[in-house]
Amino acid sequence: MSMTPRERVISAMKKESLDRPPVAIFTQAATITQMDKVGAAWPQAHKEAEAMAKLGTAQADIFGFECVRAPFCLTAEAERLGCKVQVEKKDAAPMIKEHPFHFDPMSGEYDDPSAIMAPEEFIKGGRPAEAIKAMALMKKSHGENYALVAGNTGPFTLAGHMINTENMVFGMLMAPEEVAKWTAAINPIVKVYTQALADAGADVIQMSEPSGSTDMLSPEMFEPASGMYVKDSLACVKNAFSVLHICGDTYPILDPMIATGVTGLSVEEKVDPAKAAAKVNKRAVLVGNVGSVRPLFQGTPEEVRDAATNCAKAGFGVISSGCGIATATPDANMKMLVDTIKAYKN
């Protein structure tokens, strides 16, 4: 079956029958090798559209993956909304250093979320605006042959960046109505940004919502804390497919993740691929779940081959890393992931 990488990814997102799944990293994919070979590196590529676009297309240009993807972290939105963020290193992701608002479930003292920036203003500046520009640049340079994936941050996670994630998780137990005020205030920003990325050329919006993980919340908390907002801000995006990524063992929340109405679910290697495929039962496109730490970062090419084959055999629609790629991931492991799936036959 002769298809361009773009056609293969789009067909996979539509759940169409294929001779093999595409191999395309929907999460953070940049490595030091890519930065050096294309001449675009962090931290500049976090901040400037031209460098962001050049590095975002490198997974395809250098290793042969079948999509292009940007940006590369979950701090761009938080920085735009007032968080102090350290964006300094080539080999490490940016880190949030200070939260701009006060939220204390122990004392019952909560800042008013009405002070949050208006969505229309949000997309006009800072790194989110650069990411929107980068989508347009990537569309022009690679859009004919490759699907464009845009990454952004989920509403519950972004709200936690504003007021401290630990406080927000405690708030779900002690003052869930106060948490809801913050997530509800953040969600319109997430929705407008999601649509702006799609309007700029993204074919897929891959939203990361790590704070919705079962490592942070009980499964019963997912829908009121995150799912109901994702349904509005991600699943309803126009002219793009929607993929929800949550870290950790998402097996207990696969059903409520599907219930958000998104096109696809990106899951980590903590979920057995065969069990995930059986539970999802084609109700959503599964993306993943070759371990980003092991085997991709710390394992051997042979381990990468075996993990990728297991994902394909299980019925994953897109073979990808389970989470964001470490920048020092060996070239041989990246290449093995691509070669294994391109040689695979259903």
Side-chain angles (χ1 to χ4, degrees), residues 24-39:
I25 298 181
F26 278 21
T27 52
Q28 192 305 103
T31 63
I32 297 296
T33 290
Q34 293 173 55
M35 296 181 200
D36 291 343
K37 286 192 174 182
V38 303

Side-chain angles (χ1 to χ4, degrees), residues 228-284:
M228 62 182 287
Y229 301 102
V230 170
K231 185 175 184 178
D232 178 61
S233 57
L234 175 62
C236 292
V237 65
K238 298 180 178 66
N239 302 316
F241 299 102
S242 53
V243 174
L244 176 61
H245 174 81
I246 298 181
C247 303
D249 181 6
T250 51
Y251 188 81
I253 57 172
L254 288 175
D255 284 335
M257 287 172 70
I258 294 168
T260 63
V262 295
T263 312
L265 309 181
S266 171
V267 299
E268 271 195 11
E269 64 279 5
K270 287 183 180 180
V271 185
D272 180 88
K275 291 181 178 178
K279 188 170 187 177
V280 171
N281 195 25
K282 301 187 185 301
R283 291 177 292 162

Side-chain angles (χ1 to χ4, degrees), residues 53-316:
K54 187 178 292 187
L55 184 56
T57 57
Q59 66 161 296
D61 293 343
I62 304 303
F63 292 117
F65 286 99
E66 296 178 286
C67 79
V68 295
R69 198 267 195 196
F72 315 103
C73 74
L74 301 183
T75 66
E77 300 100 316
E79 184 180 65
R80 175 66 173 154
L81 292 173
C83 287
K84 183 177 179 181
V85 178
Q86 178 181 303
V87 193
E88 300 174 358
K89 297 182 179 181
K90 177 180 180 179
D91 60 350
M95 294 181 62
I96 294 175
K97 293 297 186 179
E98 291 182 14
H99 310 281
F101 296 97
H102 183 71
F103 188 96
D104 188 354
M106 301 301 292
S107 68
E109 298 175 356
Y110 309 103
D111 280 350
D112 185 352
S114 64
I116 289 289
M117 182 184 298
E120 294 73 21
E121 181 64 22
F122 172 86
I123 60 173
K124 292 180 181 178
R127 288 197 278 143
E130 294 301 304
I132 293 168
K133 293 175 188 174
M135 283 299 118
L137 293 171
M138 293 162 71
K139 184 73 172 178
K140 183 176 180 180
S141 66
H142 285 68
E144 182 177 352
N145 292 314
Y146 294 92
L148 274 65
V149 180
N152 68 356
T153 307
F156 186 72
T157 300
L158 183 54
H161 289 167
M162 296 296 98
I163 59 178
N164 185 309
T165 299
E166 183 178 355
N167 287 344
M168 193 155 176
V169 172
F170 278 126
M172 284 299 297
L173 299 171
M174 302 175 68
E177 69 284 352
E178 295 294 335
V179 173
K181 289 178 184 177
W182 274 94
T183 313
I186 288 292
N187 205 47
I189 293 171
V190 177
K191 184 174 184 176
V192 167
Y193 184 39
T194 296
Q195 192 59 57
L197 290 166
D199 291 345
D203 300 294
V204 180
I205 310 297
Q206 180 265 305
M207 177 183 285
S208 293
E209 183 74 305
S211 296
S213 168
T214 57
D215 293 339
M216 308 283 281
L217 302 174
S218 69
E220 295 75 21
M221 287 181 178
F222 172 74
E223 198 280 333
S226 171
M228 62 182 287
Y229 301 102
V230 170
K231 185 175 184 178
D232 178 61
S233 57
L234 175 62
C236 292
V237 65
K238 298 180 178 66
N239 302 316
F241 299 102
S242 53
V243 174
L244 176 61
H245 174 81
I246 298 181
C247 303
D249 181 6
T250 51
Y251 188 81
I253 57 172
L254 288 175
D255 284 335
M257 287 172 70
I258 294 168
T260 63
V262 295
T263 312
L265 309 181
S266 171
V267 299
E268 271 195 11
E269 64 279 5
K270 287 183 180 180
V271 185
D272 180 88
K275 291 181 178 178
K279 188 170 187 177
V280 171
N281 195 25
K282 301 187 185 301
R283 291 177 292 162
V285 179
L286 280 168
V287 179
N289 67 341
V290 180
S292 56
V293 175
R294 190 166 191 98
L296 281 168
F297 177 41
Q298 297 178 340
T300 65
E302 291 74 23
E303 289 173 320
V304 172
R305 178 196 62 208
D306 292 345
T309 301
N310 285 340
C311 291
K313 285 182 176 179
F316 270 56

